[in-house]
Amino acid sequence: MAQSYGYARVSSKDQNAERQLIALKNFGVEKIFIDIQSSRNFDRPQYKKLLRKLKPDDVLIIKSIDRLGRNYAEILEQWRIITKEKGASIVVLDLPLLDTRRYKDLLGTLVADLVLQIMSAFAQIERDFIKQRQTKGISAAKARGVKFGRPPLKRPENYPDVRDDWLAKKISARQAGKLLGVNPQTFLKWIRADKV
C-alpha cells in the first residue's frame, strides 16, 4: 500500500520548521522527516532514512523545492532518484505544477521537468546571492572593526611554568592542557603564538 511522507529541512537550530510542518500536516501528512542541516549537500540523516523507506507509488511531500537543496544539479539528481529510481511521486506544495501524481503523460512530464529546472536554477541563484551578500556583509563588518569568532582564551597564571615543563619535555601537551584547564590544541596554539 502506498505511503505518504513529508520532508522538512531548516539550515540551523536558530531556524524554525513550524511553517513547513503546518503545511505538511494540513496536507494530511503524518510521517514527517526533519533535518536541521544546511542544503549544501545531501548528507542528511533523516533524508537518507526517508529515501530508504520510499517505495514505488509512495508520495513525498515538501513545502518548497529548496527544501531538497539549493544546488541545481543536486536537486535535479534527487528528483530523478525519487521519481525514476524509486518510482515515487513528489508534491511541492508551493508549486502545484510540481505534482508528479497528476502529470503522468508526456506533456505533463515535460511541463513538470521544465518548471523543476527553472525553479532549481532560481534556488541556486538565490543561494549564490545570499552567499554574496553575506561575504559583503562580513567584509563591511570587519572594516568597521567587528571581530568574529570566540574571543581568545586568557592564559592562566601558571602558563609560563607549564610551558617551561613542556619545553623541557617533562610533560606532554595533553598533560599541559589538563594542568591549564584547556585542550591540548589550545595549549599548542599558545606555544606557536609565543614563537611568532
Side-chain angles (χ1 to χ4, degrees):
M1 186 172 155
Q3 296 287 323
S4 292
Y5 299 102
Y7 179 69
R9 181 191 58 77
V10 291
S11 297
S12 68
K13 291 181 181 178
D14 298 347
Q15 295 179 331
N16 190 336
E18 194 63 30
R19 184 175 54 89
Q20 294 175 64
L21 297 176
I22 289 170
L24 293 170
K25 287 176 184 172
N26 286 344
F27 192 78
V29 181
E30 293 180 14
K31 297 174 185 171
I32 300 173
F33 295 80
I34 304 169
D35 275 314
I36 301 173
Q37 191 166 352
S38 170
S39 63
R40 289 184 193 139
N41 61 53
F42 283 88
D43 187 24
R44 293 174 269 180
Q46 291 300 305
Y47 183 76
K48 285 181 174 182
K49 187 175 178 182
L50 168 65
L51 281 183
R52 285 192 300 271
K53 284 194 170 286
L54 279 178
K55 304 281 184 272
D57 298 322
D58 284 350
V59 181
L60 170 61
I61 299 99
I62 55 176
K63 172 88 169 91
S64 59
I65 194 67
D66 66 349
R67 295 307 83 196
L68 285 179
R70 291 186 177 150
N71 177 295
Y72 175 77
E74 285 290 343
I75 291 173
L76 294 179
E77 177 64 10
Q78 293 305 308
W79 191 275
R80 185 192 65 73
I81 290 169
I82 293 165
T83 60
K84 304 291 190 269
E85 287 183 20
K86 297 285 185 177
S89 296
I90 300 177
V91 175
V92 180
L93 297 177
D94 287 351
L95 280 167
L97 280 174
L98 292 179
D99 182 344
T100 62
R101 299 171 308 166
R102 294 184 187 167
Y103 306 107
K104 296 288 186 187
D105 65 342
L106 185 60
L107 181 60
T109 301
L110 175 64
V111 169
D113 285 350
L114 287 172
V115 171
L116 172 65
Q117 289 190 26
I118 291 167
M119 296 314 297
S120 298
F122 278 127
Q124 182 165 342
I125 289 167
E126 178 187 356
R127 178 173 166 66
D128 292 344
F129 281 147
I130 289 169
K131 194 172 185 180
Q132 195 175 52
R133 287 191 303 265
Q134 184 180 39
T135 301
K136 286 181 180 179
I138 290 170
S139 295
K142 284 181 177 178
R144 290 190 315 269
V146 174
K147 302 282 185 201
F148 290 89
R150 290 188 307 186
L153 286 175
K154 291 188 178 182
R155 298 175 191 189
E157 287 181 25
N158 62 336
Y159 170 73
D161 296 331
V162 172
R163 179 196 57 210
D164 292 344
D165 285 348
W166 180 80
L167 290 170
K169 299 189 188 304
K170 293 180 183 176
I171 60 172
S172 68
R174 177 179 267 184
Q175 291 167 321
K178 276 189 177 181
L179 291 169
L180 297 170
V182 297
N183 66 42
Q185 290 79 16
T186 300
F187 170 71
L188 293 172
K189 184 176 166 185
W190 288 341
I191 293 290
R192 286 190 298 273
D194 288 347
K195 292 179 181 178
V196 173

